């Protein structure tokens, strides 16, 4: 790595994560929760969107989860509470599943009932804010990992990881986090992480990311 390159400013942040519409999400949850069935899911448990052929959506009231794509298992997104899963992809969800990243509480409700309450309680503005945020998160992820260099992808993923809740960041190695979200080889990821660590751009302990000091724009 060319450590003489001008480093990027410290404490970078994702533009989308910083504008999560908490109040709008909580407003929807408050209205839907009386119709939902709460349950606890343990770390690593997988939750599917269909139950007895009925399409479900989930209110994430406590904890953290990841949204995976079937087939290759790649992580499309991760979210911490409060959040609502399964309402932005109402016409295609068979190729997706949810996995708990820590012991979490979710509340399941049929998609039909969710849509009915949104209409009945006139929650359209709150719902639109949730949809805009969700779509922006997925778009940001896809845009950042397509047609970019391996270093650019890793750089973006490190910024994302640093903004994750402690329950996620402290329980996964930086290499595993990046590997689960990209098609990069583990050896390539490890090599770049090692160089960033040697250059004192990041601090890691036993593979866990502790801090991002500053990341150079170029590799």
């Amino acid at each position: 790595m060319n450590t003489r390159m001008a480093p990027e400013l410290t404490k970078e942040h994702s533009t989308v994560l910083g504008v999560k519409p908490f109040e709008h999400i909580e407003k929807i949850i408050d209205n839907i929760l009386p119709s939902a069935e709460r349950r606890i899911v343990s770390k690593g448990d997988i939750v599917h969107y269909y139950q007895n052929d009925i399409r479900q959506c989930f209110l994430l009231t406590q904890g953290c989860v990841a949204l995976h794509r079937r087939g290759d298992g790649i992580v499309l997104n991760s979210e911490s509470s409060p959040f609502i899963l399964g309402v932005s992809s109402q016409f295609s969800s068979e190729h997706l599943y949810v996995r708990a990243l820590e012991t979490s509480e979710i509340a399941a409700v049929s998609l039909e009932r969710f849509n009915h309450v949104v209409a009945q309680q006139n929650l359209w503005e709150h719902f639109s804010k949730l949809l805009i945020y969700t779509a922006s998160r997925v778009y940001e992820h896809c845009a950042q990992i397509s047609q970019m260099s391996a270093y650019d992808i890793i750089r973006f993923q490190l910024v994302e990881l640093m903004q994750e809740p402690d329950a996620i960041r402290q329980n996964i190695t930086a290499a595993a986090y990046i590997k689960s979200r990209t098609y990069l080889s583990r050896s390539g990821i490890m090599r770049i992480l090692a160089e960033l660590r040697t250059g004192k751009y990041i601090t890691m302990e036993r593979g866990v990311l502790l801090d991002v000091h500053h990341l150079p724009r170029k590799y």
Side-chain angles (χ1 to χ4, degrees), residues 205-218:
E205 184 175 323
R206 297 182 179 178
V208 174
L209 182 66
L210 299 182
D211 201 4
V212 172
H213 306 295
H214 47 261
L215 295 171
R217 281 285 183 188
K218 300 295 182 181

Side-chain angles (χ1 to χ4, degrees), residues 11-20 77 133 136-137 140-141 144 156-164:
K11 308 302 182 186
E12 299 178 68
H13 295 282
S14 163
T15 57
V16 178
L17 275 174
V19 294
K20 183 175 181 178
N77 194 13
Y133 169 76
S136 297
R137 282 278 281 147
E140 183 181 56
H141 174 82
Q144 292 285 354
F156 171 75
Q157 292 297 325
L158 287 172
V159 173
E160 288 280 291
L161 176 56
M162 201 62 211
Q163 295 178 80
E164 295 282 15

Side-chain angles (χ1 to χ4, degrees), residues 116-185:
H116 174 75
V117 174
V118 167
Q120 185 183 53
Q121 301 297 325
N122 194 27
L123 300 172
W124 297 114
E125 179 183 359
H126 307 290
F127 190 27
S128 68
K129 297 292 186 181
L130 169 65
L131 293 179
I132 291 169
Y133 169 76
T134 303
S136 297
R137 282 278 281 147
V138 174
Y139 174 80
E140 183 181 56
H141 174 82
C142 294
Q144 292 285 354
I145 67 171
S146 62
Q147 298 181 348
M148 297 175 68
S149 70
Y151 171 71
D152 287 335
I153 294 172
I154 290 173
R155 181 177 179 276
F156 171 75
Q157 292 297 325
L158 287 172
V159 173
E160 288 280 291
L161 176 56
M162 201 62 211
Q163 295 178 80
E164 295 282 15
D166 287 346
I168 296 176
R169 187 166 51 84
Q170 295 179 2
N171 287 283
I172 188 171
T173 65
Y177 181 91
I178 296 168
K179 184 72 174 65
S180 70
R181 287 160 171 77
T182 70
Y183 289 110
L184 299 177
S185 69

